[in-house]
Amino acid sequence: MGVAKGRLVTGLRFAARELGVRSPGDVGAGLGVLLVPGFGCGDWTLTLTRKWLRRRGYRPACAHIGLNVGCTTELVDRIEQRAGQHARATGGPIVLLGQSRGGWLARLLAGRRPDLVRALVTAGSPVLDPLSANPRVIRHARMLTRLSAIGLPGLLDDECFSGDCYEKNARALASPLPRGMPALAVYSREDRVVPWKSCLDPSAECVEIASSHFDMALTPAFYAVLEPRLAAWNAASAMTS
């Protein structure tokens, strides 16, 4: 069995186990977590993550941004609204967890609204250069701008690749995270979609796992990295509340 196929089998077994058994405890104590999917992906792609969090007593919620193909600024505005709702529902700042493009959208929000954010997790997210993704992905994204130009709503436009909107968001991504905000950046050198070096957020703890880009949230190693950090952030939050 090849390495990739072996990991897929392991991931599927892990998913089946996580989705099929009862909660092991309440370590999360109701801490809110907002999940932001990657480019071209919907909330369903983070179903395992949501179930895994819920089993441990966290309160996960979906970003509700559709397939994540829209204007960056508009999407961050929508994620901000959703984060505010979830923070109010859970009684305090929440954890933002985003995969791929969802991770750097979440990072933009963390810089804009630190009052809403307890911590940040990015998974395979090119925060240092959002346009560094595989050229085929960029070509698909630019195709959406052409559809937007002929009047199809809710898609990327040219401002997402150049101009004031791009420059503003690029500067925000390059800025350090607010002081005292913990962050975790998970990356893989085996990622064939996003160059792993572009995921090394200088404001975050950067941790490598063995995974493809799309399988990251299905990989047991991702959760092994995530679990103790979430618990530590939650404990620190409880001590200061």
Side-chain angles (χ1 to χ4, degrees), residues 4 10 20 29 32-34 40 53 55 59 63 71 78 91 119 129 136 162 169 184 192-193 195 217 232:
T10 298
V33 183
L34 187 67
L53 289 164
R55 284 191 63 220
R59 288 184 60 184
C71 163
R78 290 169 61 187
D129 183 4
R136 287 179 295 179
S162 62
N169 288 318
L184 170 66
R192 297 295 179 263
V193 175

Side-chain angles (χ1 to χ4, degrees), residues 5-152:
K5 186 175 181 180
R7 286 186 188 145
L8 177 59
V9 170
T10 298
L12 291 174
R13 288 173 177 167
F14 171 75
R17 183 173 69 250
E18 289 294 324
L19 296 177
V21 299
R22 296 175 63 100
S23 172
D26 193 32
V27 67
L31 176 65
V33 183
L34 187 67
L35 305 176
V36 189
F39 177 72
C41 297
D43 292 327
W44 66 270
T45 59
L46 292 172
T47 296
L48 174 60
T49 309
R50 188 168 67 253
K51 298 286 188 180
W52 182 91
L53 289 164
R54 187 172 293 130
R55 284 191 63 220
R56 286 155 180 79
Y58 298 96
R59 288 184 60 184
C62 298
H64 295 329
I65 57 171
L67 293 179
N68 194 350
V69 293
C71 163
T72 297
T73 299
E74 291 178 3
L75 287 177
V76 176
D77 289 344
R78 290 169 61 187
I79 296 168
E80 178 180 359
Q81 182 178 25
R82 186 75 174 122
Q85 293 171 347
H86 200 41
R88 289 190 294 274
T90 56
I94 62 174
V95 175
L96 296 179
L97 191 160
Q99 185 171 21
S100 193
R101 189 192 191 204
W104 59 262
L105 292 176
R107 194 190 193 284
L108 287 171
L109 177 57
R112 180 196 291 185
R113 291 294 307 273
D115 58 307
L116 293 177
V117 182
R118 175 68 190 89
L120 171 70
V121 179
T122 60
S125 301
V127 297
L128 299 184
D129 183 4
L131 298 184
S132 66
N134 186 296
R136 287 179 295 179
V137 176
I138 299 300
R139 284 198 298 271
H140 287 294
R142 288 192 176 277
M143 182 181 69
L144 295 178
T145 70
R146 293 193 288 273
L147 294 174
S148 179
I150 63 174
L152 197 63

Side-chain angles (χ1 to χ4, degrees), residues 151-232:
L152 197 63
L155 302 176
L156 293 161
D157 58 34
D158 286 331
E159 281 284 301
C160 294
F161 294 93
S162 62
D164 291 342
C165 182
Y166 171 78
E167 295 296 334
K168 177 183 176 182
N169 288 318
R171 286 194 300 271
L173 277 175
S175 300
L177 285 170
R179 191 170 196 171
M181 179 181 293
L184 170 66
V186 181
Y187 68 95
S188 173
R189 293 174 192 256
E190 299 174 20
D191 195 323
R192 297 295 179 263
V193 175
V194 169
W196 66 269
K197 289 184 179 180
S198 68
C199 301
L200 303 182
D201 189 338
S203 291
E205 177 191 7
C206 300
V207 179
E208 180 183 2
I209 65 171
S211 168
S212 74
H213 184 76
F214 297 107
D215 291 345
M216 197 166 284
L218 296 174
T219 302
F222 173 70
Y223 297 95
V225 169
L226 181 62
E227 187 160 25
R229 288 155 180 87
L230 277 174

